[in-house]
Amino acid sequence: MLFRSYSAFIALIAGSIITTYARRDALNFIQSLSGNYTVYVNHQQARDSDKIISALKEITPYWAHHSHPTTRIRVDIRSDTRDLTLELGRDSDNPQEYWVFFPEHGVSSDTEIGRITTAAFDEY
């Protein structure tokens, strides 16, 4: 029984480290964007890229509550140096809250790296 508890604790810590790293990686990329980038939402070029980038700069960890992500929105950011793909899951209770997933990072692809609250994705 002690081994199971220890293993669960190690898995929890490892997951937290990977999630933190993935969030930091995504935020570093987003915050370092210069003028030459293109944003796509669900494979369509976004009309207001600056508004979307501004919203994504606010990714922060959230305490869990009794809701879940619903509709997924894919966001691709293409720059001269790198491409970044994120998936946003609209919250089941608050339609302007989005759970952010980072599919590039295998372990974090099904674990949220943070959340944002914004009206930037209302039309999607």
Side-chain angles (χ1 to χ4, degrees):
M1 186 63 140
L2 181 60
F3 180 72
R4 282 188 193 160
S5 297
Y6 182 71
S7 296
F9 177 74
I10 295 297
L12 183 66
I13 296 297
S16 178
I17 290 169
I18 291 168
T19 299
T20 300
Y21 173 77
R23 181 175 48 254
R24 187 176 306 137
D25 184 27
L27 283 170
N28 285 341
F29 173 79
I30 293 165
Q31 292 170 347
S32 70
L33 284 170
S34 62
N36 197 17
Y37 64 88
T38 308
V39 177
Y40 297 88
V41 179
N42 292 332
H43 305 286
Q44 302 287 328
Q45 189 167 351
R47 282 181 245 160
D48 193 347
S49 296
D50 292 338
K51 185 176 180 180
I52 290 171
I53 294 301
S54 180
L56 292 173
K57 286 181 178 179
E58 302 300 319
I59 298 170
T60 57
Y62 272 63
W63 292 102
H65 50 82
H66 299 287
S67 63
H68 58 277
T70 58
T71 306
R72 292 279 182 125
I73 299 169
R74 179 182 169 124
V75 178
D76 294 295
I77 305 167
R78 297 190 181 136
S79 75
D80 292 336
T81 59
R82 178 179 165 199
D83 295 345
L84 175 77
T85 298
L86 298 173
E87 287 188 2
L88 308 180
R90 185 172 278 126
D91 187 79
S92 61
D93 287 341
N94 180 354
Q96 290 190 334
E97 180 178 292
Y98 297 88
W99 302 43
V100 182
F101 301 90
F102 193 176
E104 253 180 57
H105 284 266
V107 174
S108 65
S109 65
D110 289 328
T111 304
E112 67 176 294
I113 63 168
R115 296 190 196 171
I116 57 173
T117 302
T118 181
F121 298 97
D122 284 356
E123 67 183 272
Y124 301 102

